[in-house]
Short mmCIF file of all heavy atoms in Angstrom, two decimals:
data_model
loop_
_atom_site.label_atom_id
_atom_site.label_comp_id
_atom_site.label_asym_id
_atom_site.label_seq_id
_atom_site.Cartn_x
_atom_site.Cartn_y
_atom_site.Cartn_z
N SER W 1 0.78 -1.24 -0.01
CA SER W 1 0.03 -0.03 0.01
C SER W 1 0.90 1.23 -0.07
O SER W 1 0.41 2.31 -0.26
CB SER W 1 -0.90 0.08 1.11
OG SER W 1 -0.26 0.16 2.37
N ALA W 2 2.14 1.17 0.28
CA ALA W 2 2.98 2.29 0.27
C ALA W 2 3.31 2.78 -1.15
O ALA W 2 3.77 3.95 -1.30
CB ALA W 2 4.33 1.95 1.05
N LEU W 3 2.97 1.98 -2.14
CA LEU W 3 3.34 2.44 -3.52
C LEU W 3 2.31 3.41 -3.94
O LEU W 3 2.51 4.21 -4.91
CB LEU W 3 3.35 1.17 -4.43
CG LEU W 3 4.34 0.16 -4.13
CD1 LEU W 3 4.11 -1.03 -5.15
CD2 LEU W 3 5.67 0.72 -4.38
N PHE W 4 1.09 3.49 -3.35
CA PHE W 4 0.03 4.29 -3.80
C PHE W 4 0.02 5.71 -3.06
O PHE W 4 -0.68 6.54 -3.48
CB PHE W 4 -1.28 3.66 -3.76
CG PHE W 4 -1.41 2.44 -4.57
CD1 PHE W 4 -1.41 1.25 -4.05
CD2 PHE W 4 -1.24 2.48 -5.94
CE1 PHE W 4 -1.46 0.01 -4.77
CE2 PHE W 4 -1.25 1.33 -6.71
CZ PHE W 4 -1.41 0.16 -6.15
N ASN W 5 0.76 5.79 -2.07
CA ASN W 5 0.79 6.97 -1.22
C ASN W 5 2.22 7.55 -1.35
O ASN W 5 3.18 6.92 -0.90
CB ASN W 5 0.40 6.65 0.30
CG ASN W 5 0.25 7.90 1.06
OD1 ASN W 5 0.63 8.96 0.69
ND2 ASN W 5 -0.16 7.68 2.28
N PHE W 6 2.40 8.82 -1.81
CA PHE W 6 3.70 9.39 -2.11
C PHE W 6 4.50 9.55 -0.79
O PHE W 6 5.70 9.20 -0.74
CB PHE W 6 3.57 10.64 -2.80
CG PHE W 6 4.95 11.30 -3.12
CD1 PHE W 6 5.81 10.60 -4.07
CD2 PHE W 6 5.40 12.31 -2.37
CE1 PHE W 6 7.03 11.14 -4.35
CE2 PHE W 6 6.51 12.86 -2.72
CZ PHE W 6 7.45 12.30 -3.69
N GLN W 7 3.86 9.94 0.28
CA GLN W 7 4.52 10.17 1.58
C GLN W 7 5.02 8.92 2.14
O GLN W 7 6.18 8.72 2.58
CB GLN W 7 3.59 10.86 2.55
CG GLN W 7 4.29 11.12 3.84
CD GLN W 7 3.34 11.88 4.81
OE1 GLN W 7 2.17 12.09 4.47
NE2 GLN W 7 3.82 12.12 6.06
N SER W 8 4.27 7.83 1.98
CA SER W 8 4.71 6.49 2.51
C SER W 8 5.83 5.97 1.66
O SER W 8 6.78 5.44 2.20
CB SER W 8 3.47 5.47 2.49
OG SER W 8 2.57 5.99 3.32
N LEU W 9 5.75 6.19 0.28
CA LEU W 9 6.81 5.71 -0.52
C LEU W 9 8.20 6.40 -0.27
O LEU W 9 9.29 5.86 -0.20
CB LEU W 9 6.41 5.94 -1.98
CG LEU W 9 7.51 5.51 -3.12
CD1 LEU W 9 7.66 3.96 -2.94
CD2 LEU W 9 7.05 5.97 -4.47
N LEU W 10 8.01 7.74 -0.01
CA LEU W 10 9.19 8.55 0.48
C LEU W 10 9.83 8.14 1.70
O LEU W 10 11.09 8.01 1.95
CB LEU W 10 8.87 10.04 0.38
CG LEU W 10 10.03 11.03 0.58
CD1 LEU W 10 11.00 10.84 -0.56
CD2 LEU W 10 9.49 12.47 0.56
N THR W 11 8.98 7.86 2.59
CA THR W 11 9.32 7.33 3.98
C THR W 11 10.13 5.95 3.87
O THR W 11 11.18 5.78 4.45
CB THR W 11 8.24 7.22 4.92
OG1 THR W 11 7.47 8.51 4.97
CG2 THR W 11 8.61 6.77 6.32
N ILE W 12 9.53 5.07 3.12
CA ILE W 12 10.16 3.81 2.86
C ILE W 12 11.56 3.89 2.25
O ILE W 12 12.47 3.29 2.59
CB ILE W 12 9.25 2.91 2.12
CG1 ILE W 12 8.01 2.53 2.87
CG2 ILE W 12 9.94 1.50 1.70
CD1 ILE W 12 8.15 1.87 4.17
N THR W 13 11.58 4.75 1.25
CA THR W 13 12.87 4.95 0.57
C THR W 13 13.90 5.54 1.48
O THR W 13 15.06 5.07 1.43
CB THR W 13 12.62 5.88 -0.63
OG1 THR W 13 11.52 5.31 -1.43
CG2 THR W 13 13.97 6.14 -1.51
N LEU W 14 13.57 6.60 2.27
CA LEU W 14 14.51 7.13 3.19
C LEU W 14 15.03 6.15 4.25
O LEU W 14 16.19 6.13 4.57
CB LEU W 14 13.89 8.44 3.82
CG LEU W 14 13.85 9.62 2.95
CD1 LEU W 14 13.03 10.71 3.78
CD2 LEU W 14 15.20 10.16 2.63
N LEU W 15 14.04 5.38 4.78
CA LEU W 15 14.48 4.27 5.67
C LEU W 15 15.35 3.30 5.20
O LEU W 15 16.27 2.77 5.76
CB LEU W 15 13.14 3.63 6.28
CG LEU W 15 12.39 4.45 7.29
CD1 LEU W 15 11.09 3.76 7.72
CD2 LEU W 15 13.19 4.66 8.51
N LEU W 16 15.06 2.87 3.79
CA LEU W 16 15.94 1.93 3.18
C LEU W 16 17.28 2.48 2.97
O LEU W 16 18.37 1.84 3.34
CB LEU W 16 15.41 1.56 1.85
CG LEU W 16 16.21 0.65 0.94
CD1 LEU W 16 16.26 -0.77 1.51
CD2 LEU W 16 15.72 0.72 -0.58
N ILE W 17 17.50 3.74 2.64
CA ILE W 17 18.81 4.34 2.33
C ILE W 17 19.57 4.43 3.67
O ILE W 17 20.67 4.05 3.84
CB ILE W 17 18.61 5.73 1.74
CG1 ILE W 17 18.17 5.55 0.26
CG2 ILE W 17 19.93 6.51 1.87
CD1 ILE W 17 17.79 6.90 -0.37
N CYS W 18 18.85 4.93 4.78
CA CYS W 18 19.48 5.08 6.08
C CYS W 18 19.99 3.66 6.57
O CYS W 18 21.03 3.53 7.17
CB CYS W 18 18.62 5.84 7.03
SG CYS W 18 18.36 7.63 6.54
N THR W 19 19.04 2.72 6.51
CA THR W 19 19.38 1.37 7.07
C THR W 19 20.54 0.73 6.37
O THR W 19 21.44 0.17 6.92
CB THR W 19 18.16 0.55 6.94
OG1 THR W 19 17.01 1.17 7.66
CG2 THR W 19 18.38 -0.86 7.52
N CYS W 20 20.52 0.86 4.93
CA CYS W 20 21.55 0.26 4.24
C CYS W 20 23.03 0.97 4.51
O CYS W 20 24.05 0.28 4.62
CB CYS W 20 21.36 0.35 2.73
SG CYS W 20 20.04 -0.83 2.27
N ALA W 21 22.95 2.30 4.72
CA ALA W 21 24.21 2.91 5.00
C ALA W 21 24.67 2.63 6.44
O ALA W 21 25.86 2.42 6.57
CB ALA W 21 23.99 4.40 4.94
N TYR W 22 23.76 2.44 7.36
CA TYR W 22 24.16 2.01 8.67
C TYR W 22 24.67 0.54 8.72
O TYR W 22 25.75 0.30 9.33
CB TYR W 22 22.98 2.08 9.60
CG TYR W 22 23.26 1.69 11.07
CD1 TYR W 22 24.06 2.43 11.82
CD2 TYR W 22 22.80 0.50 11.58
CE1 TYR W 22 24.42 2.04 13.13
CE2 TYR W 22 23.06 0.08 12.85
CZ TYR W 22 23.89 0.87 13.66
OH TYR W 22 24.13 0.51 14.92
N ILE W 23 24.12 -0.31 8.08
CA ILE W 23 24.57 -1.70 7.93
C ILE W 23 25.90 -1.75 7.30
O ILE W 23 26.87 -2.47 7.72
CB ILE W 23 23.51 -2.60 7.14
CG1 ILE W 23 22.26 -2.76 7.96
CG2 ILE W 23 24.19 -4.03 6.81
CD1 ILE W 23 21.16 -3.56 7.40
N ARG W 24 26.12 -0.95 6.22
CA ARG W 24 27.46 -0.96 5.59
C ARG W 24 28.48 -0.39 6.50
O ARG W 24 29.68 -0.77 6.32
CB ARG W 24 27.36 -0.18 4.22
CG ARG W 24 28.70 -0.38 3.45
CD ARG W 24 28.49 0.09 2.03
NE ARG W 24 29.66 -0.27 1.20
CZ ARG W 24 30.86 0.43 1.32
NH1 ARG W 24 30.99 1.47 2.10
NH2 ARG W 24 31.82 -0.01 0.61
N SER W 25 28.20 0.59 7.28
CA SER W 25 29.24 1.13 8.27
C SER W 25 29.63 0.06 9.25
O SER W 25 30.76 0.01 9.81
CB SER W 25 28.72 2.29 8.90
OG SER W 25 27.63 2.07 9.88
N LEU W 26 28.66 -0.87 9.64
CA LEU W 26 29.05 -1.85 10.58
C LEU W 26 29.73 -3.04 9.89
O LEU W 26 30.70 -3.51 10.42
CB LEU W 26 27.78 -2.38 11.25
CG LEU W 26 27.05 -1.44 12.16
CD1 LEU W 26 25.75 -2.02 12.73
CD2 LEU W 26 27.90 -1.03 13.30
N THR W 27 29.17 -3.59 8.87
CA THR W 27 29.79 -4.68 8.11
C THR W 27 29.79 -4.47 6.60
O THR W 27 28.87 -4.75 5.91
CB THR W 27 28.97 -5.98 8.37
OG1 THR W 27 27.59 -5.84 8.03
CG2 THR W 27 29.03 -6.44 9.87
N PRO W 28 30.91 -3.84 6.15
CA PRO W 28 30.93 -3.45 4.66
C PRO W 28 30.93 -4.68 3.83
O PRO W 28 30.40 -4.63 2.69
CB PRO W 28 32.31 -2.72 4.56
CG PRO W 28 32.70 -2.50 5.95
CD PRO W 28 32.07 -3.30 6.94
N SER W 29 31.44 -5.80 4.24
CA SER W 29 31.54 -6.94 3.29
C SER W 29 30.10 -7.58 3.03
O SER W 29 29.93 -8.24 2.06
CB SER W 29 32.43 -7.99 3.84
OG SER W 29 31.92 -8.54 5.11
N LEU W 30 29.15 -7.33 3.88
CA LEU W 30 27.88 -7.87 3.68
C LEU W 30 27.11 -7.29 2.46
O LEU W 30 26.59 -7.99 1.76
CB LEU W 30 27.00 -7.63 4.98
CG LEU W 30 25.59 -8.12 4.99
CD1 LEU W 30 25.71 -9.70 5.04
CD2 LEU W 30 24.81 -7.66 6.15
N LEU W 31 27.35 -5.93 2.26
CA LEU W 31 26.69 -5.35 1.07
C LEU W 31 27.60 -5.29 -0.13
O LEU W 31 27.11 -5.20 -1.27
CB LEU W 31 26.22 -3.98 1.42
CG LEU W 31 25.05 -3.89 2.46
CD1 LEU W 31 24.78 -2.43 2.81
CD2 LEU W 31 23.82 -4.59 1.92
N ASP W 32 28.93 -5.34 0.08
CA ASP W 32 29.71 -5.12 -0.98
C ASP W 32 29.87 -6.36 -1.90
O ASP W 32 30.30 -6.18 -3.04
CB ASP W 32 31.21 -4.81 -0.42
CG ASP W 32 31.34 -3.44 -0.02
OD1 ASP W 32 30.50 -2.64 -0.29
OD2 ASP W 32 32.31 -3.07 0.70
N ARG W 33 29.56 -7.56 -1.45
CA ARG W 33 29.62 -8.76 -2.27
C ARG W 33 28.48 -8.77 -3.23
O ARG W 33 28.50 -9.64 -4.17
CB ARG W 33 29.73 -10.00 -1.37
CG ARG W 33 28.56 -10.26 -0.56
CD ARG W 33 28.77 -11.49 0.27
NE ARG W 33 27.70 -11.49 1.29
CZ ARG W 33 27.82 -12.10 2.48
NH1 ARG W 33 28.93 -12.74 2.70
NH2 ARG W 33 26.84 -12.00 3.36
N ASN W 34 27.47 -8.07 -3.10
CA ASN W 34 26.17 -8.00 -3.90
C ASN W 34 26.05 -6.76 -4.60
O ASN W 34 25.22 -5.86 -4.21
CB ASN W 34 24.99 -8.43 -3.04
CG ASN W 34 25.05 -9.76 -2.47
OD1 ASN W 34 25.43 -10.72 -3.18
ND2 ASN W 34 24.56 -9.82 -1.21
N LYS W 35 26.82 -6.52 -5.56
CA LYS W 35 26.80 -5.19 -6.25
C LYS W 35 25.90 -5.23 -7.63
O LYS W 35 25.55 -4.18 -8.13
CB LYS W 35 28.10 -4.75 -6.74
CG LYS W 35 29.01 -4.39 -5.52
CD LYS W 35 30.39 -3.85 -5.97
CE LYS W 35 31.20 -3.54 -4.79
NZ LYS W 35 32.44 -3.03 -5.15
N THR W 36 25.39 -6.42 -7.93
CA THR W 36 24.59 -6.54 -9.16
C THR W 36 23.30 -7.22 -8.75
O THR W 36 23.20 -7.93 -7.75
CB THR W 36 25.36 -7.16 -10.36
OG1 THR W 36 25.73 -8.44 -9.81
CG2 THR W 36 26.53 -6.45 -10.73
N GLY W 37 22.32 -7.20 -9.61
CA GLY W 37 21.12 -7.93 -9.37
C GLY W 37 20.18 -7.30 -8.35
O GLY W 37 20.38 -6.00 -8.14
N PHE W 38 19.21 -7.92 -7.97
CA PHE W 38 18.30 -7.31 -7.03
C PHE W 38 18.87 -6.94 -5.70
O PHE W 38 18.62 -5.86 -5.13
CB PHE W 38 17.09 -8.44 -6.73
CG PHE W 38 16.07 -7.85 -5.68
CD1 PHE W 38 15.22 -6.88 -6.07
CD2 PHE W 38 16.10 -8.36 -4.41
CE1 PHE W 38 14.21 -6.39 -5.18
CE2 PHE W 38 15.22 -7.80 -3.53
CZ PHE W 38 14.31 -6.87 -3.91
N LEU W 39 19.92 -7.64 -5.19
CA LEU W 39 20.52 -7.29 -3.96
C LEU W 39 21.43 -6.12 -4.13
O LEU W 39 21.80 -5.46 -3.07
CB LEU W 39 21.26 -8.53 -3.30
CG LEU W 39 20.41 -9.71 -2.85
CD1 LEU W 39 21.24 -10.81 -2.40
CD2 LEU W 39 19.38 -9.30 -1.84
N GLY W 40 21.73 -5.83 -5.37
CA GLY W 40 22.57 -4.68 -5.67
C GLY W 40 21.81 -3.30 -5.31
O GLY W 40 22.39 -2.24 -5.05
N LEU W 41 20.47 -3.35 -5.18
CA LEU W 41 19.71 -2.33 -4.80
C LEU W 41 20.03 -1.79 -3.34
O LEU W 41 20.16 -0.58 -3.07
CB LEU W 41 18.18 -2.71 -4.70
CG LEU W 41 17.20 -1.60 -4.23
CD1 LEU W 41 17.17 -0.49 -5.31
CD2 LEU W 41 15.88 -2.13 -4.08
N PHE W 42 20.50 -2.80 -2.45
CA PHE W 42 20.77 -2.41 -1.15
C PHE W 42 22.26 -1.76 -1.11
O PHE W 42 22.42 -0.77 -0.36
CB PHE W 42 20.77 -3.57 -0.27
CG PHE W 42 19.41 -4.26 -0.17
CD1 PHE W 42 19.25 -5.56 -0.56
CD2 PHE W 42 18.31 -3.50 0.30
CE1 PHE W 42 17.89 -6.14 -0.50
CE2 PHE W 42 17.12 -4.04 0.37
CZ PHE W 42 16.93 -5.44 -0.06
N TRP W 43 23.17 -2.31 -1.98
CA TRP W 43 24.50 -1.65 -2.13
C TRP W 43 24.36 -0.23 -2.66
O TRP W 43 25.04 0.70 -2.15
CB TRP W 43 25.30 -2.58 -2.96
CG TRP W 43 26.64 -1.98 -3.15
CD1 TRP W 43 27.77 -1.96 -2.27
CD2 TRP W 43 27.22 -1.23 -4.38
NE1 TRP W 43 28.91 -1.46 -2.93
CE2 TRP W 43 28.57 -0.92 -4.04
CE3 TRP W 43 26.69 -0.93 -5.55
CZ2 TRP W 43 29.26 -0.19 -5.02
CZ3 TRP W 43 27.35 -0.08 -6.45
CH2 TRP W 43 28.65 0.19 -6.19
N LYS W 44 23.51 -0.12 -3.69
CA LYS W 44 23.31 1.27 -4.24
C LYS W 44 22.69 2.28 -3.16
O LYS W 44 23.07 3.38 -3.19
CB LYS W 44 22.49 1.23 -5.46
CG LYS W 44 23.14 0.45 -6.65
CD LYS W 44 22.25 0.34 -7.82
CE LYS W 44 22.98 -0.56 -8.85
NZ LYS W 44 22.03 -0.89 -9.91
N SER W 45 21.77 1.80 -2.35
CA SER W 45 21.20 2.55 -1.37
C SER W 45 22.18 2.93 -0.31
O SER W 45 22.14 4.15 0.13
CB SER W 45 20.02 1.84 -0.72
OG SER W 45 18.95 1.58 -1.61
N ALA W 46 23.01 2.11 0.06
CA ALA W 46 24.06 2.36 0.90
C ALA W 46 25.08 3.46 0.42
O ALA W 46 25.51 4.40 1.09
CB ALA W 46 24.88 1.15 1.33
N ARG W 47 25.39 3.34 -0.91
CA ARG W 47 26.28 4.33 -1.52
C ARG W 47 25.63 5.69 -1.60
O ARG W 47 26.26 6.75 -1.24
CB ARG W 47 26.67 3.89 -2.91
CG ARG W 47 27.52 2.62 -2.97
CD ARG W 47 28.75 2.80 -2.27
NE ARG W 47 29.60 3.65 -3.03
CZ ARG W 47 30.94 3.94 -2.75
NH1 ARG W 47 31.45 3.41 -1.72
NH2 ARG W 47 31.63 4.67 -3.51
N ILE W 48 24.20 5.76 -1.82
CA ILE W 48 23.54 6.99 -1.86
C ILE W 48 23.60 7.58 -0.40
O ILE W 48 23.92 8.88 -0.21
CB ILE W 48 22.18 6.81 -2.38
CG1 ILE W 48 22.19 6.54 -3.83
CG2 ILE W 48 21.35 8.11 -2.05
CD1 ILE W 48 20.80 6.10 -4.37
N GLY W 49 23.44 6.79 0.52
CA GLY W 49 23.40 7.25 2.00
C GLY W 49 24.73 7.83 2.45
O GLY W 49 24.75 8.70 3.19
N GLU W 50 25.79 7.15 1.90
CA GLU W 50 27.16 7.61 2.30
C GLU W 50 27.57 8.84 1.61
O GLU W 50 28.09 9.82 2.22
CB GLU W 50 28.22 6.49 1.96
CG GLU W 50 28.08 5.34 2.78
CD GLU W 50 28.93 4.25 2.32
OE1 GLU W 50 29.53 4.37 1.19
OE2 GLU W 50 29.12 3.14 2.96
N ARG W 51 27.21 9.05 0.29
CA ARG W 51 27.69 10.19 -0.43
C ARG W 51 26.87 11.37 -0.34
O ARG W 51 27.40 12.52 -0.38
CB ARG W 51 27.89 9.81 -2.00
CG ARG W 51 28.90 8.76 -2.11
CD ARG W 51 29.09 8.51 -3.62
NE ARG W 51 30.07 7.57 -3.82
CZ ARG W 51 30.66 7.25 -4.96
NH1 ARG W 51 30.21 7.83 -6.10
NH2 ARG W 51 31.58 6.34 -5.11
N LYS W 52 25.55 11.16 -0.05
CA LYS W 52 24.66 12.31 0.04
C LYS W 52 24.14 12.43 1.50
O LYS W 52 22.95 12.73 1.74
CB LYS W 52 23.47 12.14 -0.90
CG LYS W 52 23.90 12.01 -2.47
CD LYS W 52 24.34 13.22 -2.85
CE LYS W 52 24.55 13.13 -4.46
NZ LYS W 52 25.29 14.31 -4.99
N SER W 53 24.99 12.18 2.46
CA SER W 53 24.47 12.07 3.83
C SER W 53 23.92 13.41 4.39
O SER W 53 22.92 13.33 5.06
CB SER W 53 25.57 11.51 4.70
OG SER W 53 26.70 12.60 4.76
N GLN W 54 24.31 14.45 4.00
CA GLN W 54 23.78 15.73 4.43
C GLN W 54 22.37 15.88 3.83
O GLN W 54 21.41 16.22 4.59
CB GLN W 54 24.60 17.02 4.06
CG GLN W 54 25.97 16.92 4.54
CD GLN W 54 26.94 16.28 3.56
OE1 GLN W 54 26.60 15.72 2.50
NE2 GLN W 54 28.17 16.23 3.96
N TYR W 55 22.21 15.56 2.66
CA TYR W 55 20.85 15.79 2.07
C TYR W 55 19.89 14.72 2.53
O TYR W 55 18.68 14.95 2.76
CB TYR W 55 20.94 15.76 0.51
CG TYR W 55 21.84 16.69 -0.11
CD1 TYR W 55 23.01 16.45 -0.71
CD2 TYR W 55 21.53 18.11 0.05
CE1 TYR W 55 23.84 17.44 -1.22
CE2 TYR W 55 22.32 19.10 -0.46
CZ TYR W 55 23.48 18.72 -1.08
OH TYR W 55 24.33 19.70 -1.56
N ILE W 56 20.37 13.50 2.76
CA ILE W 56 19.58 12.48 3.26
C ILE W 56 19.10 12.78 4.69
O ILE W 56 18.02 12.52 5.15
CB ILE W 56 20.28 11.09 3.17
CG1 ILE W 56 20.53 10.73 1.77
CG2 ILE W 56 19.52 9.91 3.93
CD1 ILE W 56 19.26 10.44 0.98
N ALA W 57 20.09 13.28 5.45
CA ALA W 57 19.74 13.62 6.85
C ALA W 57 18.68 14.79 6.94
O ALA W 57 17.79 14.74 7.76
CB ALA W 57 21.04 14.08 7.59
N ALA W 58 18.87 15.70 6.04
CA ALA W 58 17.93 16.83 6.08
C ALA W 58 16.45 16.30 5.53
O ALA W 58 15.51 16.67 6.16
CB ALA W 58 18.41 17.85 5.06
N ALA W 59 16.41 15.40 4.62
CA ALA W 59 15.14 14.81 4.15
C ALA W 59 14.54 13.94 5.30
O ALA W 59 13.35 14.03 5.43
CB ALA W 59 15.43 13.95 2.98
N CYS W 60 15.36 13.26 6.13
CA CYS W 60 14.90 12.50 7.12
C CYS W 60 14.19 13.36 8.23
O CYS W 60 13.18 13.17 8.82
CB CYS W 60 15.90 11.55 7.76
SG CYS W 60 16.32 10.19 6.88
N VAL W 61 14.97 14.55 8.59
CA VAL W 61 14.44 15.47 9.52
C VAL W 61 13.17 16.12 9.03
O VAL W 61 12.08 16.22 9.77
CB VAL W 61 15.50 16.61 9.92
CG1 VAL W 61 14.81 17.72 10.65
CG2 VAL W 61 16.63 15.90 10.61
N LEU W 62 13.07 16.53 7.75
CA LEU W 62 11.88 17.09 7.26
C LEU W 62 10.77 16.10 7.19
O LEU W 62 9.54 16.36 7.53
CB LEU W 62 12.06 17.59 5.84
CG LEU W 62 12.88 18.87 5.77
CD1 LEU W 62 13.20 19.21 4.29
CD2 LEU W 62 12.30 20.04 6.49
N MET W 63 10.96 14.90 6.89
CA MET W 63 10.02 13.80 6.86
C MET W 63 9.49 13.59 8.28
O MET W 63 8.23 13.38 8.47
CB MET W 63 10.51 12.54 6.25
CG MET W 63 9.40 11.39 6.14
SD MET W 63 8.01 11.91 5.15
CE MET W 63 8.65 12.02 3.56
N ALA W 64 10.36 13.58 9.34
CA ALA W 64 9.89 13.37 10.68
C ALA W 64 9.01 14.45 11.12
O ALA W 64 8.01 14.20 11.79
CB ALA W 64 11.15 13.23 11.59
N VAL W 65 9.39 15.67 10.85
CA VAL W 65 8.60 16.88 11.18
C VAL W 65 7.26 16.77 10.48
O VAL W 65 6.12 17.07 11.16
CB VAL W 65 9.38 18.14 10.86
CG1 VAL W 65 8.40 19.33 10.91
CG2 VAL W 65 10.53 18.34 11.78
N ASN W 66 7.27 16.37 9.24
CA ASN W 66 6.02 16.28 8.51
C ASN W 66 5.06 15.19 9.02
O ASN W 66 3.88 15.37 9.20
CB ASN W 66 6.38 15.98 7.02
CG ASN W 66 5.12 15.99 6.11
OD1 ASN W 66 4.05 16.45 6.54
ND2 ASN W 66 5.27 15.44 4.98
N ILE W 67 5.66 14.03 9.41
CA ILE W 67 4.83 13.04 9.96
C ILE W 67 4.35 13.36 11.41
O ILE W 67 3.15 13.13 11.78
CB ILE W 67 5.65 11.69 10.02
CG1 ILE W 67 5.85 11.14 8.51
CG2 ILE W 67 4.99 10.64 10.87
CD1 ILE W 67 6.69 10.00 8.47
N LEU W 68 5.22 13.93 12.20
CA LEU W 68 4.79 14.27 13.53
C LEU W 68 3.72 15.36 13.64
O LEU W 68 2.89 15.36 14.47
CB LEU W 68 6.02 14.72 14.38
CG LEU W 68 6.95 13.55 14.81
CD1 LEU W 68 8.14 14.18 15.53
CD2 LEU W 68 6.21 12.59 15.65
N PHE W 69 3.84 16.45 12.84
CA PHE W 69 3.00 17.54 13.02
C PHE W 69 1.93 17.80 11.99
O PHE W 69 0.89 18.51 12.16
CB PHE W 69 3.86 18.89 13.07
CG PHE W 69 4.79 18.86 14.30
CD1 PHE W 69 6.15 18.73 14.05
CD2 PHE W 69 4.35 18.85 15.56
CE1 PHE W 69 7.04 18.79 15.15
CE2 PHE W 69 5.19 18.92 16.64
CZ PHE W 69 6.56 18.77 16.43
N TRP W 70 2.10 17.22 10.72
CA TRP W 70 1.12 17.44 9.71
C TRP W 70 0.35 16.17 9.14
O TRP W 70 -0.35 16.32 8.28
CB TRP W 70 1.82 18.21 8.52
CG TRP W 70 2.14 19.59 8.86
CD1 TRP W 70 1.19 20.59 9.03
CD2 TRP W 70 3.40 20.18 9.04
NE1 TRP W 70 1.80 21.70 9.33
CE2 TRP W 70 3.16 21.45 9.36
CE3 TRP W 70 4.68 19.61 8.99
CZ2 TRP W 70 4.22 22.45 9.55
CZ3 TRP W 70 5.68 20.54 9.26
CH2 TRP W 70 5.46 21.90 9.57
N SER W 71 0.58 15.07 9.80
CA SER W 71 -0.18 13.93 9.37
C SER W 71 -1.11 13.55 10.29
O SER W 71 -1.25 13.72 11.41
CB SER W 71 0.78 12.70 9.11
OG SER W 71 1.67 13.00 8.07
#
Protein backbone atom coordinates (compact mmCIF):
# COMPACT_ATOMS: atom_id res chain seq x y z
CA SER A 1 0.00 0.00 0.00
CA ALA A 2 3.04 2.30 0.30
CA LEU A 3 3.30 2.40 -3.50
CA PHE A 4 0.06 4.36 -3.85
CA ASN A 5 0.80 7.00 -1.23
CA PHE A 6 3.70 9.32 -2.07
CA GLN A 7 4.49 10.18 1.55
CA SER A 8 4.68 6.50 2.49
CA LEU A 9 6.82 5.71 -0.54
CA LEU A 10 9.21 8.53 0.37
CA THR A 11 9.37 7.34 3.98
CA ILE A 12 10.15 3.76 2.93
CA THR A 13 12.85 5.00 0.53
CA LEU A 14 14.52 7.15 3.19
CA LEU A 15 14.41 4.30 5.71
CA LEU A 16 15.96 1.93 3.15
CA ILE A 17 18.79 4.36 2.39
CA CYS A 18 19.52 5.07 6.06
CA THR A 19 19.35 1.41 7.06
CA CYS A 20 21.64 0.26 4.26
CA ALA A 21 24.19 2.99 5.03
CA TYR A 22 24.15 1.99 8.70
CA ILE A 23 24.56 -1.71 7.92
CA ARG A 24 27.42 -0.95 5.54
CA SER A 25 29.17 1.09 8.23
CA LEU A 26 29.01 -1.91 10.59
CA THR A 27 29.79 -4.73 8.15
CA PRO A 28 30.94 -3.48 4.73
CA SER A 29 31.53 -6.97 3.33
CA LEU A 30 27.85 -7.86 3.73
CA LEU A 31 26.70 -5.36 1.10
CA ASP A 32 29.86 -5.15 -1.01
CA ARG A 33 29.63 -8.71 -2.27
CA ASN A 34 26.23 -8.08 -3.91
CA LYS A 35 26.76 -5.18 -6.32
CA THR A 36 24.57 -6.50 -9.14
CA GLY A 37 21.10 -7.94 -9.40
CA PHE A 38 18.24 -7.39 -6.99
CA LEU A 39 20.51 -7.34 -3.94
CA GLY A 40 22.55 -4.62 -5.64
CA LEU A 41 19.70 -2.27 -4.75
CA PHE A 42 20.85 -2.40 -1.12
CA TRP A 43 24.47 -1.67 -2.11
CA LYS A 44 23.33 1.29 -4.22
CA SER A 45 21.16 2.58 -1.38
CA ALA A 46 24.15 2.41 0.97
CA ARG A 47 26.28 4.35 -1.51
CA ILE A 48 23.61 7.05 -1.81
CA GLY A 49 23.39 7.26 1.98
CA GLU A 50 27.15 7.63 2.30
CA ARG A 51 27.72 10.15 -0.47
CA LYS A 52 24.64 12.32 0.03
CA SER A 53 24.51 12.07 3.81
CA GLN A 54 23.76 15.78 4.42
CA TYR A 55 20.83 15.76 2.02
CA ILE A 56 19.53 12.43 3.28
CA ALA A 57 19.76 13.65 6.88
CA ALA A 58 17.87 16.82 6.01
CA ALA A 59 15.22 14.81 4.19
CA CYS A 60 14.84 12.50 7.21
CA VAL A 61 14.40 15.47 9.54
CA LEU A 62 11.85 17.09 7.24
CA MET A 63 9.96 13.83 6.88
CA ALA A 64 9.92 13.33 10.65
CA VAL A 65 8.57 16.85 11.20
CA ASN A 66 6.00 16.29 8.48
CA ILE A 67 4.83 12.98 9.99
CA LEU A 68 4.77 14.30 13.56
CA PHE A 69 3.00 17.60 13.00
CA TRP A 70 1.11 17.47 9.70
CA SER A 71 -0.13 13.92 9.34
